[in-house]
């Protein structure tokens, strides 16, 4: 557990970050394409290279938040994911790896993720972002409830 | 110097994701099971706040403080957007993360997020390879 801000404060800060970041940097938030930059590291830096720097900053923020909450610790076990899934540590890591691969693959097909599509894109009123987000939610609900049904409520 | 600005911005955003509990597996899982609506509230308020801010930014001429134009173009729509979205959503539920929160989790000390991050890198790489193959074919 880390910090636990009320939803409206956390939401307003995340939403407010988007225009302020654009104002300061001239860029519009997008995270999943930062992974493309990582994959393109061998090529000369293009105009999107900033996304890689941004992505590298994210762990520092997680570190700061957990340190501030006094809960920072190195968790080598895959809890609470493994108990929620009802799997051992190794099987849980496989699920995380596969889940991650679906995230990366799906984000590139959809053209963005929860930041670029669901927050920025919907805020701009983009049809593609609304459709993508409906897909995110449909996939998320379907997978969760399928797992619950298959695990007999263990999840 | 520019790179440092982006690392710092990323750190701030990662901090906010963590403070919003978007890095908490139980919060994501609870959202999809409808037992914890906290993150729906976060996302809803974030969209509304971003919409207001971007509207003001657009009306002010969509330029950064340094005078550079800010592109507020919509992402292109095509038939695969929904399908890609579903694939993403299944991964979102399985891993309990999205591309940003997996990285913030790493910083929180959740070593297992390394598996998620490696998966995202692999999936991204694979999709781009397929994309290039499709263009060649």
């Amino acid at each position: 557990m880390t910090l636990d801000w009320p939803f409206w404060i956390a939401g307003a800060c995340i939403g407010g970050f988007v225009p302020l970041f654009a104002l300061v940097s001239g860029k519009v938030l997008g995270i999943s394409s930062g992974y493309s930059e990582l994959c393109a590291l061998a090529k000369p830096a293009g105009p999107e290279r900033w996304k890689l720097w941004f992505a590298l900053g994210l762990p520092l923020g997680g570190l700061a938040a957990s340190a501030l909450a006094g809960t920072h610790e190195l968790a080598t076990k895959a809890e609470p994911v493994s108990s929620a899934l009802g799997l051992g540590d190794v099987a849980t890591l496989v699920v995380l790896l596969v889940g991650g691969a679906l995230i990366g693959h799906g984000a590139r097909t959809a053209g963005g993720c929860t930041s670029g599509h669901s927050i920025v894109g919907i805020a701009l009123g983009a049809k593609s972002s609304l459709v993508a987000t409906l897909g995110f939610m449909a996939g998320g609900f379907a997978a969760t409830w399928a797992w619950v049904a298959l695990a007999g409520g263990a999840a | 110097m520019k790179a440092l600005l982006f690392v710092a911005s990323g750190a701030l955003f990662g901090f906010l994701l963590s403070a919003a509990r978007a890095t908490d597996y139980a919060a994501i899982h609870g959202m999809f099971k409808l037992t914890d609506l906290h993150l729906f509230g976060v996302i809803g308020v974030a969209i509304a706040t971003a919409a207001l801010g971007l509207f003001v930014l657009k009306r002010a001429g969509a330029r950064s403080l340094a005078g550079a134009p800010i592109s507020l173009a919509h992402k292109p729509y095509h038939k695969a957007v929904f399908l890609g979205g579903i694939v993403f959503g299944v991964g979102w539920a399985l891993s309990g993360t999205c591309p940003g929160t997996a990285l913030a989790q790493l910083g929180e000390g959740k070593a297992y997020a390394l598996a998620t991050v490696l998966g995202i890198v692999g999936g991204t790489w694979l999709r781009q390879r397929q994309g290039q193959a499709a263009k060649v074919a």
Side-chain angles (χ1 to χ4, degrees), chain A residues 23 35 75 105 109 128 145 155, chain B residues 19 29 32 65 75 99 109 127 130:
Chain A
L23 195 63
Y35 289 85
H105 196 277
T109 306
S128 58
W145 288 97
Chain B
H29 196 61
F32 287 128
L65 290 177
K75 288 176 185 279
R127 181 65 185 85
Q130 290 170 329

Side-chain angles (χ1 to χ4, degrees), chain A residues 77-152:
Chain A
K77 293 263 178 197
E79 288 295 346
V81 189
S82 45
S83 49
L85 294 172
L87 296 172
D89 274 340
V90 175
T92 302
L93 291 179
V94 172
V95 170
L96 291 176
L97 190 73
V98 171
L102 294 173
I103 289 175
H105 196 277
R108 289 285 53 79
T109 306
C113 66
T114 17
S115 59
H117 262 318
S118 305
I119 297 178
V120 179
I122 293 185
L124 287 172
K127 178 188 174 190
S128 58
S129 299
L130 192 62
V131 171
T133 303
L134 288 175
F136 298 164
M137 289 293 172
F141 277 111
T144 301
W145 288 97
W147 193 284
V148 168
L150 290 173

